[in-house]
Amino acid sequence: MIRRIILNRLFQMIQVMVGISLITFAVISLSPGDPAEITLRATLGTESPPKEAVARLHEEMGLDDPWHVSYLKWISRVVHGDLGYSYQTKRSTLEEIIRALPTTFCLASISMLFSAIIAIPLGIAAALRQNGFVDHICRLTSIVCLSSPEYFVAIVFMLAGGIYLDIFPIAGTGGIEYFILPSLTLSVGLIAITMRIMRTSMIETLEQDYMRTARAKGLSRRKIIQRHALKNALLPVIIYMGTQFGWIFGGAVTIESVFALPGLGRLLVNSVSSMDIMVMQGCMLTFAMIVVLINLFVDLVQLYLDPSVRAQGE
């Protein structure tokens, strides 16, 4: 039965990827410029490629075919790792994506780490002191974080940490210190929601019957929380944070541009502004694939950890 659920998830993932590839392919039709001519400019290094070569590449890429035939030829090349060439850098799109991906992955990972370190302890503290001073402060903080747009948060962190205190660099890339301010900015919204989920989950767990039984047995409050409450209360938080990892990759598009980080998000923004079609398509497909794979992974983890999900699937 578990195998059938996993196969069902994989089938859904394939459907989503096909839909995304169709949308991405439409970029060719809707964007100005000839993809064959753009590719030849990149590969030959000339602004005026020979018309015969353009016509030959038209035929190879299937640009003169009906859209469904053209799509099948394009997706066949993509599956074999051929994403075309960048018009700006003259390098292959795959090479550009591989170069930028570690920066975005590092940014997203540090953001998740900040979120876990800050939000989970605060959520637990708010739940244990429900309607107390700490709880009110945590709720007020979450409202402020959710009400603050990313660009405003980025400016505040740049002024505070980068200019007044002069602790962290505000732009560029180098060591881990270049990721501190962008990661904090990216994690603010996630911290607010994760803290709320942690608080709610902990309160609900503490009100369960087996918790009353544990208290009746004379276990101390600390042991009840560490041995019984924390494990169950963390499950929805872990699942939520897992699904948000893909969202953080999407948020990198804005943050990398603000802090001048050479990641996948900035590569996508630059390709859109310069109409570098092949890179644009490659970035969109990569972002989509990352989000889909992360969601699949979270589904499988949830399936493994939560018996109620397995029961629903069966």
Short mmCIF file of all heavy atoms in Angstrom, two decimals, residues 70-132:
data_model
loop_
_atom_site.label_atom_id
_atom_site.label_comp_id
_atom_site.label_asym_id
_atom_site.label_seq_id
_atom_site.Cartn_x
_atom_site.Cartn_y
_atom_site.Cartn_z
N SER A 70 7.33 20.75 -32.04
CA SER A 70 8.43 21.59 -31.57
C SER A 70 8.67 21.39 -30.08
O SER A 70 9.81 21.32 -29.62
CB SER A 70 8.11 23.05 -31.88
OG SER A 70 9.19 23.87 -31.50
N TYR A 71 7.57 21.28 -29.32
CA TYR A 71 7.70 21.07 -27.87
C TYR A 71 8.38 19.74 -27.57
O TYR A 71 9.26 19.66 -26.69
CB TYR A 71 6.31 21.12 -27.22
CG TYR A 71 6.30 20.62 -25.80
CD1 TYR A 71 6.79 21.40 -24.76
CD2 TYR A 71 5.81 19.34 -25.50
CE1 TYR A 71 6.79 20.93 -23.46
CE2 TYR A 71 5.82 18.86 -24.19
CZ TYR A 71 6.30 19.67 -23.18
OH TYR A 71 6.31 19.20 -21.89
N LEU A 72 7.97 18.69 -28.28
CA LEU A 72 8.55 17.37 -28.03
C LEU A 72 10.06 17.35 -28.33
O LEU A 72 10.84 16.74 -27.60
CB LEU A 72 7.83 16.31 -28.87
CG LEU A 72 6.39 16.00 -28.44
CD1 LEU A 72 5.73 15.04 -29.42
CD2 LEU A 72 6.36 15.43 -27.02
N LYS A 73 10.47 18.05 -29.40
CA LYS A 73 11.90 18.11 -29.71
C LYS A 73 12.65 18.87 -28.63
O LYS A 73 13.75 18.48 -28.21
CB LYS A 73 12.10 18.78 -31.07
CG LYS A 73 11.66 17.93 -32.25
CD LYS A 73 11.95 18.63 -33.57
CE LYS A 73 11.56 17.75 -34.76
NZ LYS A 73 11.80 18.41 -36.07
N TRP A 74 12.03 19.98 -28.16
CA TRP A 74 12.68 20.79 -27.12
C TRP A 74 12.81 20.03 -25.81
O TRP A 74 13.88 20.01 -25.20
CB TRP A 74 11.87 22.07 -26.91
CG TRP A 74 12.35 22.89 -25.75
CD1 TRP A 74 13.47 23.67 -25.68
CD2 TRP A 74 11.72 22.99 -24.46
NE1 TRP A 74 13.58 24.24 -24.45
CE2 TRP A 74 12.52 23.85 -23.67
CE3 TRP A 74 10.56 22.44 -23.91
CZ2 TRP A 74 12.20 24.18 -22.37
CZ3 TRP A 74 10.24 22.76 -22.60
CH2 TRP A 74 11.04 23.61 -21.85
N ILE A 75 11.72 19.36 -25.40
CA ILE A 75 11.77 18.65 -24.12
C ILE A 75 12.72 17.45 -24.20
O ILE A 75 13.33 17.07 -23.20
CB ILE A 75 10.34 18.20 -23.71
CG1 ILE A 75 10.28 17.90 -22.20
CG2 ILE A 75 9.88 16.99 -24.48
CD1 ILE A 75 10.49 19.07 -21.33
N SER A 76 12.87 16.89 -25.40
CA SER A 76 13.83 15.79 -25.58
C SER A 76 15.26 16.29 -25.35
O SER A 76 16.06 15.62 -24.69
CB SER A 76 13.68 15.21 -27.00
OG SER A 76 14.68 14.25 -27.22
N ARG A 77 15.55 17.51 -25.87
CA ARG A 77 16.89 18.08 -25.63
C ARG A 77 17.09 18.39 -24.15
O ARG A 77 18.18 18.18 -23.60
CB ARG A 77 17.08 19.34 -26.47
CG ARG A 77 17.19 19.09 -27.96
CD ARG A 77 17.79 20.31 -28.66
NE ARG A 77 17.04 21.52 -28.38
CZ ARG A 77 15.95 21.90 -29.03
NH1 ARG A 77 15.51 21.17 -30.03
NH2 ARG A 77 15.33 23.01 -28.72
N VAL A 78 16.05 18.92 -23.51
CA VAL A 78 16.15 19.27 -22.09
C VAL A 78 16.42 18.03 -21.24
O VAL A 78 17.27 18.04 -20.34
CB VAL A 78 14.86 19.97 -21.62
CG1 VAL A 78 14.84 20.11 -20.09
CG2 VAL A 78 14.73 21.34 -22.27
N VAL A 79 15.71 16.95 -21.55
CA VAL A 79 15.90 15.70 -20.80
C VAL A 79 17.33 15.19 -20.93
O VAL A 79 17.90 14.62 -20.00
CB VAL A 79 14.89 14.63 -21.29
CG1 VAL A 79 15.23 13.26 -20.73
CG2 VAL A 79 13.47 15.03 -20.89
N HIS A 80 17.96 15.46 -22.09
CA HIS A 80 19.35 15.03 -22.30
C HIS A 80 20.36 16.08 -21.83
O HIS A 80 21.56 15.97 -22.14
CB HIS A 80 19.57 14.72 -23.79
CG HIS A 80 18.89 13.44 -24.24
ND1 HIS A 80 17.58 13.42 -24.67
CD2 HIS A 80 19.33 12.15 -24.27
CE1 HIS A 80 17.25 12.17 -24.99
NE2 HIS A 80 18.28 11.39 -24.74
N GLY A 81 19.87 17.11 -21.12
CA GLY A 81 20.79 18.09 -20.52
C GLY A 81 21.18 19.22 -21.43
O GLY A 81 22.07 20.01 -21.08
N ASP A 82 20.55 19.36 -22.59
CA ASP A 82 20.87 20.44 -23.52
C ASP A 82 19.86 21.57 -23.31
O ASP A 82 18.74 21.52 -23.81
CB ASP A 82 20.82 19.92 -24.96
CG ASP A 82 21.17 21.01 -25.97
OD1 ASP A 82 21.58 22.11 -25.55
OD2 ASP A 82 21.01 20.76 -27.19
N LEU A 83 20.27 22.60 -22.57
CA LEU A 83 19.40 23.75 -22.31
C LEU A 83 19.73 24.95 -23.17
O LEU A 83 19.23 26.05 -22.93
CB LEU A 83 19.49 24.13 -20.82
CG LEU A 83 19.03 23.07 -19.81
CD1 LEU A 83 19.30 23.54 -18.39
CD2 LEU A 83 17.56 22.77 -19.99
N GLY A 84 20.58 24.77 -24.16
CA GLY A 84 20.93 25.87 -25.04
C GLY A 84 22.08 26.70 -24.48
O GLY A 84 22.77 26.29 -23.55
N TYR A 85 22.28 27.91 -25.08
CA TYR A 85 23.41 28.76 -24.73
C TYR A 85 22.95 30.13 -24.27
O TYR A 85 21.91 30.63 -24.71
CB TYR A 85 24.36 28.91 -25.93
CG TYR A 85 25.16 27.67 -26.20
CD1 TYR A 85 24.63 26.63 -26.93
CD2 TYR A 85 26.45 27.55 -25.68
CE1 TYR A 85 25.36 25.47 -27.17
CE2 TYR A 85 27.19 26.40 -25.91
CZ TYR A 85 26.63 25.37 -26.66
OH TYR A 85 27.35 24.24 -26.89
N SER A 86 23.76 30.73 -23.39
CA SER A 86 23.47 32.09 -22.94
C SER A 86 23.92 33.08 -24.01
O SER A 86 25.06 33.03 -24.49
CB SER A 86 24.21 32.37 -21.63
OG SER A 86 24.19 33.75 -21.35
N TYR A 87 23.02 33.99 -24.34
CA TYR A 87 23.35 35.01 -25.34
C TYR A 87 24.40 35.98 -24.80
O TYR A 87 25.25 36.47 -25.54
CB TYR A 87 22.07 35.76 -25.69
CG TYR A 87 22.27 36.96 -26.57
CD1 TYR A 87 22.70 36.83 -27.88
CD2 TYR A 87 22.05 38.25 -26.08
CE1 TYR A 87 22.91 37.94 -28.69
CE2 TYR A 87 22.23 39.36 -26.87
CZ TYR A 87 22.67 39.20 -28.18
OH TYR A 87 22.88 40.29 -28.95
N GLN A 88 24.37 36.22 -23.48
CA GLN A 88 25.28 37.20 -22.89
C GLN A 88 26.67 36.64 -22.64
O GLN A 88 27.67 37.25 -23.01
CB GLN A 88 24.70 37.69 -21.56
CG GLN A 88 23.54 38.66 -21.71
CD GLN A 88 23.15 39.24 -20.38
OE1 GLN A 88 22.90 38.51 -19.42
NE2 GLN A 88 23.10 40.55 -20.30
N THR A 89 26.76 35.48 -21.99
CA THR A 89 28.07 34.96 -21.57
C THR A 89 28.69 34.02 -22.59
O THR A 89 29.85 33.62 -22.42
CB THR A 89 27.93 34.22 -20.23
OG1 THR A 89 27.07 33.09 -20.42
CG2 THR A 89 27.34 35.13 -19.17
N LYS A 90 27.93 33.59 -23.60
CA LYS A 90 28.41 32.64 -24.61
C LYS A 90 28.68 31.26 -24.04
O LYS A 90 29.34 30.43 -24.66
CB LYS A 90 29.69 33.15 -25.31
CG LYS A 90 29.71 34.63 -25.65
CD LYS A 90 28.63 35.02 -26.61
CE LYS A 90 28.73 36.53 -26.95
NZ LYS A 90 27.58 37.01 -27.71
N ARG A 91 28.24 31.02 -22.81
CA ARG A 91 28.43 29.69 -22.21
C ARG A 91 27.10 28.94 -22.22
O ARG A 91 26.03 29.53 -22.40
CB ARG A 91 28.94 29.82 -20.77
CG ARG A 91 30.36 30.33 -20.67
CD ARG A 91 30.93 30.06 -19.27
NE ARG A 91 30.30 30.91 -18.28
CZ ARG A 91 30.84 32.02 -17.79
NH1 ARG A 91 32.02 32.41 -18.21
NH2 ARG A 91 30.22 32.73 -16.89
N SER A 92 27.18 27.62 -22.00
CA SER A 92 25.95 26.83 -21.99
C SER A 92 25.10 27.21 -20.79
O SER A 92 25.61 27.56 -19.71
CB SER A 92 26.28 25.34 -21.97
OG SER A 92 26.67 24.95 -20.69
N THR A 93 23.77 27.11 -20.95
CA THR A 93 22.85 27.44 -19.86
C THR A 93 23.06 26.52 -18.67
O THR A 93 23.01 26.95 -17.51
CB THR A 93 21.40 27.33 -20.36
OG1 THR A 93 21.20 28.26 -21.42
CG2 THR A 93 20.41 27.62 -19.25
N LEU A 94 23.31 25.25 -18.95
CA LEU A 94 23.52 24.28 -17.87
C LEU A 94 24.74 24.68 -17.03
O LEU A 94 24.72 24.60 -15.80
CB LEU A 94 23.70 22.89 -18.46
CG LEU A 94 23.76 21.74 -17.45
CD1 LEU A 94 22.47 21.67 -16.64
CD2 LEU A 94 24.01 20.41 -18.15
N GLU A 95 25.78 25.14 -17.72
CA GLU A 95 26.99 25.57 -17.01
C GLU A 95 26.69 26.78 -16.14
O GLU A 95 27.16 26.87 -14.99
CB GLU A 95 28.07 25.91 -18.04
CG GLU A 95 29.41 26.28 -17.43
CD GLU A 95 30.43 26.66 -18.50
OE1 GLU A 95 30.15 26.41 -19.70
OE2 GLU A 95 31.47 27.22 -18.14
N GLU A 96 25.89 27.71 -16.64
CA GLU A 96 25.53 28.91 -15.86
C GLU A 96 24.72 28.53 -14.62
O GLU A 96 24.94 29.07 -13.53
CB GLU A 96 24.71 29.87 -16.73
CG GLU A 96 25.48 30.50 -17.87
CD GLU A 96 26.46 31.55 -17.38
OE1 GLU A 96 26.24 32.11 -16.29
OE2 GLU A 96 27.46 31.77 -18.07
N ILE A 97 23.79 27.60 -14.79
CA ILE A 97 22.94 27.20 -13.66
C ILE A 97 23.77 26.47 -12.61
O ILE A 97 23.63 26.71 -11.41
CB ILE A 97 21.78 26.31 -14.16
CG1 ILE A 97 20.81 27.17 -14.99
CG2 ILE A 97 21.05 25.65 -13.01
CD1 ILE A 97 19.72 26.38 -15.66
N ILE A 98 24.65 25.57 -13.04
CA ILE A 98 25.49 24.84 -12.09
C ILE A 98 26.40 25.80 -11.33
O ILE A 98 26.67 25.62 -10.14
CB ILE A 98 26.33 23.78 -12.86
CG1 ILE A 98 25.40 22.68 -13.37
CG2 ILE A 98 27.41 23.19 -11.97
CD1 ILE A 98 26.08 21.67 -14.26
N ARG A 99 26.85 26.86 -11.98
CA ARG A 99 27.71 27.84 -11.32
C ARG A 99 26.94 28.64 -10.27
O ARG A 99 27.47 28.98 -9.20
CB ARG A 99 28.28 28.79 -12.38
CG ARG A 99 29.22 29.85 -11.83
CD ARG A 99 29.65 30.81 -12.94
NE ARG A 99 28.51 31.43 -13.59
CZ ARG A 99 27.85 32.47 -13.10
NH1 ARG A 99 28.23 32.99 -11.95
NH2 ARG A 99 26.82 32.98 -13.74
N ALA A 100 25.64 28.94 -10.55
CA ALA A 100 24.87 29.82 -9.65
C ALA A 100 24.15 29.05 -8.54
O ALA A 100 23.85 29.61 -7.49
CB ALA A 100 23.84 30.60 -10.48
N LEU A 101 23.88 27.77 -8.79
CA LEU A 101 23.04 27.01 -7.85
C LEU A 101 23.61 26.91 -6.44
O LEU A 101 22.84 27.04 -5.46
CB LEU A 101 22.78 25.61 -8.43
CG LEU A 101 21.65 24.81 -7.78
CD1 LEU A 101 20.34 25.58 -7.80
CD2 LEU A 101 21.48 23.47 -8.48
N PRO A 102 24.91 26.68 -6.23
CA PRO A 102 25.43 26.58 -4.85
C PRO A 102 25.17 27.83 -4.02
O PRO A 102 24.90 27.73 -2.82
CB PRO A 102 26.93 26.35 -5.08
CG PRO A 102 27.03 25.73 -6.42
CD PRO A 102 25.95 26.36 -7.23
N THR A 103 25.23 29.01 -4.64
CA THR A 103 24.98 30.25 -3.89
C THR A 103 23.54 30.29 -3.38
O THR A 103 23.29 30.61 -2.22
CB THR A 103 25.24 31.47 -4.80
OG1 THR A 103 26.60 31.46 -5.24
CG2 THR A 103 24.97 32.77 -4.06
N THR A 104 22.60 29.95 -4.25
CA THR A 104 21.19 29.95 -3.85
C THR A 104 20.92 28.87 -2.80
O THR A 104 20.18 29.09 -1.84
CB THR A 104 20.30 29.72 -5.08
OG1 THR A 104 20.58 30.73 -6.04
CG2 THR A 104 18.83 29.81 -4.69
N PHE A 105 21.53 27.71 -3.00
CA PHE A 105 21.33 26.62 -2.04
C PHE A 105 21.89 27.01 -0.67
O PHE A 105 21.27 26.74 0.37
CB PHE A 105 22.02 25.35 -2.54
CG PHE A 105 21.76 24.14 -1.69
CD1 PHE A 105 20.56 23.45 -1.78
CD2 PHE A 105 22.70 23.72 -0.77
CE1 PHE A 105 20.31 22.35 -0.98
CE2 PHE A 105 22.46 22.62 0.04
CZ PHE A 105 21.26 21.94 -0.07
N CYS A 106 23.04 27.66 -0.64
CA CYS A 106 23.65 28.10 0.62
C CYS A 106 22.76 29.15 1.29
O CYS A 106 22.53 29.11 2.50
CB CYS A 106 25.04 28.67 0.33
SG CYS A 106 25.99 29.04 1.81
N LEU A 107 22.25 30.10 0.49
CA LEU A 107 21.36 31.13 1.02
C LEU A 107 20.10 30.52 1.63
O LEU A 107 19.70 30.88 2.75
CB LEU A 107 20.98 32.10 -0.11
CG LEU A 107 19.96 33.19 0.22
CD1 LEU A 107 20.51 34.14 1.28
CD2 LEU A 107 19.57 33.96 -1.04
N ALA A 108 19.48 29.59 0.92
CA ALA A 108 18.25 28.96 1.42
C ALA A 108 18.53 28.11 2.66
O ALA A 108 17.74 28.13 3.62
CB ALA A 108 17.64 28.10 0.31
N SER A 109 19.64 27.40 2.69
CA SER A 109 19.96 26.54 3.84
C SER A 109 20.20 27.36 5.09
O SER A 109 19.72 27.01 6.18
CB SER A 109 21.20 25.68 3.52
OG SER A 109 20.95 24.87 2.40
N ILE A 110 20.96 28.45 4.97
CA ILE A 110 21.23 29.30 6.15
C ILE A 110 19.94 29.95 6.62
O ILE A 110 19.72 30.10 7.83
CB ILE A 110 22.31 30.35 5.81
CG1 ILE A 110 23.63 29.66 5.47
CG2 ILE A 110 22.51 31.30 6.98
CD1 ILE A 110 24.72 30.60 5.02
N SER A 111 19.07 30.33 5.70
CA SER A 111 17.77 30.91 6.09
C SER A 111 16.95 29.92 6.88
O SER A 111 16.32 30.27 7.89
CB SER A 111 17.00 31.35 4.83
OG SER A 111 17.70 32.33 4.12
N MET A 112 16.93 28.66 6.43
CA MET A 112 16.21 27.63 7.16
C MET A 112 16.81 27.41 8.55
O MET A 112 16.09 27.23 9.54
CB MET A 112 16.24 26.32 6.38
CG MET A 112 15.45 26.33 5.09
SD MET A 112 13.68 26.49 5.36
CE MET A 112 13.31 24.94 6.13
N LEU A 113 18.13 27.46 8.61
CA LEU A 113 18.81 27.28 9.90
C LEU A 113 18.44 28.41 10.87
O LEU A 113 18.12 28.16 12.03
CB LEU A 113 20.33 27.23 9.68
CG LEU A 113 21.19 26.95 10.90
CD1 LEU A 113 20.87 25.56 11.46
CD2 LEU A 113 22.67 27.04 10.56
N PHE A 114 18.48 29.64 10.39
CA PHE A 114 18.08 30.78 11.22
C PHE A 114 16.63 30.62 11.70
O PHE A 114 16.32 30.89 12.86
CB PHE A 114 18.22 32.09 10.44
CG PHE A 114 19.62 32.61 10.36
CD1 PHE A 114 20.08 33.30 9.26
CD2 PHE A 114 20.51 32.40 11.41
CE1 PHE A 114 21.37 33.78 9.18
CE2 PHE A 114 21.82 32.87 11.34
CZ PHE A 114 22.25 33.55 10.23
N SER A 115 15.77 30.20 10.80
CA SER A 115 14.35 30.05 11.15
C SER A 115 14.17 29.02 12.25
O SER A 115 13.43 29.25 13.22
CB SER A 115 13.55 29.62 9.91
OG SER A 115 13.72 30.55 8.88
N ALA A 116 14.87 27.89 12.12
CA ALA A 116 14.73 26.83 13.13
C ALA A 116 15.29 27.27 14.47
O ALA A 116 14.66 27.05 15.52
CB ALA A 116 15.44 25.56 12.64
N ILE A 117 16.46 27.90 14.44
CA ILE A 117 17.11 28.29 15.70
C ILE A 117 16.30 29.35 16.45
O ILE A 117 16.22 29.34 17.68
CB ILE A 117 18.54 28.82 15.40
CG1 ILE A 117 19.43 27.67 14.92
CG2 ILE A 117 19.14 29.48 16.62
CD1 ILE A 117 20.79 28.13 14.46
N ILE A 118 15.69 30.27 15.70
CA ILE A 118 14.96 31.38 16.35
C ILE A 118 13.51 31.02 16.63
O ILE A 118 13.00 31.25 17.74
CB ILE A 118 15.04 32.64 15.45
CG1 ILE A 118 16.50 33.08 15.30
CG2 ILE A 118 14.20 33.77 16.05
CD1 ILE A 118 16.71 34.18 14.29
N ALA A 119 12.81 30.44 15.65
CA ALA A 119 11.36 30.28 15.76
C ALA A 119 10.94 29.17 16.72
O ALA A 119 9.99 29.33 17.49
CB ALA A 119 10.77 30.02 14.38
N ILE A 120 11.64 28.03 16.68
CA ILE A 120 11.20 26.88 17.50
C ILE A 120 11.31 27.18 19.00
O ILE A 120 10.34 26.99 19.75
CB ILE A 120 11.98 25.62 17.09
CG1 ILE A 120 11.55 25.20 15.68
CG2 ILE A 120 11.74 24.49 18.09
CD1 ILE A 120 12.29 24.01 15.13
N PRO A 121 12.45 27.68 19.49
CA PRO A 121 12.50 28.01 20.94
C PRO A 121 11.49 29.08 21.34
O PRO A 121 10.87 28.97 22.41
CB PRO A 121 13.94 28.51 21.13
CG PRO A 121 14.71 27.91 20.02
CD PRO A 121 13.77 27.87 18.86
N LEU A 122 11.29 30.10 20.50
CA LEU A 122 10.33 31.14 20.83
C LEU A 122 8.90 30.58 20.85
O LEU A 122 8.09 30.96 21.71
CB LEU A 122 10.43 32.30 19.83
CG LEU A 122 11.68 33.18 19.95
CD1 LEU A 122 11.68 34.25 18.86
CD2 LEU A 122 11.75 33.84 21.32
N GLY A 123 8.60 29.71 19.90
CA GLY A 123 7.26 29.10 19.86
C GLY A 123 7.00 28.25 21.10
O GLY A 123 5.90 28.27 21.66
N ILE A 124 8.02 27.49 21.53
CA ILE A 124 7.87 26.67 22.74
C ILE A 124 7.70 27.57 23.97
O ILE A 124 6.83 27.32 24.82
CB ILE A 124 9.11 25.76 22.90
CG1 ILE A 124 9.16 24.75 21.75
CG2 ILE A 124 9.07 25.04 24.24
CD1 ILE A 124 10.42 23.92 21.72
N ALA A 125 8.52 28.62 24.05
CA ALA A 125 8.42 29.53 25.20
C ALA A 125 7.05 30.20 25.25
O ALA A 125 6.46 30.33 26.33
CB ALA A 125 9.53 30.58 25.11
N ALA A 126 6.52 30.58 24.09
CA ALA A 126 5.19 31.22 24.06
C ALA A 126 4.10 30.25 24.49
O ALA A 126 3.15 30.63 25.19
CB ALA A 126 4.92 31.75 22.65
N ALA A 127 4.23 28.98 24.09
CA ALA A 127 3.22 27.98 24.46
C ALA A 127 3.26 27.67 25.95
O ALA A 127 2.22 27.51 26.59
CB ALA A 127 3.45 26.70 23.66
N LEU A 128 4.47 27.60 26.51
CA LEU A 128 4.60 27.28 27.94
C LEU A 128 4.17 28.43 28.84
O LEU A 128 3.88 28.24 30.01
CB LEU A 128 6.04 26.88 28.26
CG LEU A 128 6.56 25.63 27.54
CD1 LEU A 128 7.99 25.33 27.93
CD2 LEU A 128 5.66 24.43 27.87
N ARG A 129 4.17 29.64 28.27
CA ARG A 129 3.72 30.83 29.02
C ARG A 129 2.54 31.46 28.30
O ARG A 129 2.54 32.66 27.98
CB ARG A 129 4.87 31.82 29.17
CG ARG A 129 6.03 31.28 29.99
CD ARG A 129 7.28 32.10 29.83
NE ARG A 129 8.39 31.59 30.63
CZ ARG A 129 9.14 30.55 30.30
NH1 ARG A 129 8.90 29.88 29.18
NH2 ARG A 129 10.13 30.15 31.09
N GLN A 130 1.55 30.63 28.00
CA GLN A 130 0.39 31.08 27.22
C GLN A 130 -0.29 32.28 27.88
O GLN A 130 -0.59 32.26 29.08
CB GLN A 130 -0.60 29.92 27.08
CG GLN A 130 -1.71 30.20 26.09
CD GLN A 130 -2.63 29.01 25.93
OE1 GLN A 130 -2.43 27.98 26.56
NE2 GLN A 130 -3.64 29.15 25.11
N ASN A 131 -0.53 33.31 27.03
CA ASN A 131 -1.16 34.57 27.46
C ASN A 131 -0.31 35.35 28.47
O ASN A 131 -0.82 36.29 29.10
CB ASN A 131 -2.55 34.32 28.06
CG ASN A 131 -3.50 33.74 27.02
OD1 ASN A 131 -3.47 34.13 25.85
ND2 ASN A 131 -4.34 32.80 27.44
N GLY A 132 0.95 34.97 28.61
CA GLY A 132 1.85 35.71 29.48
C GLY A 132 2.63 36.76 28.70
O GLY A 132 2.38 36.99 27.51
#
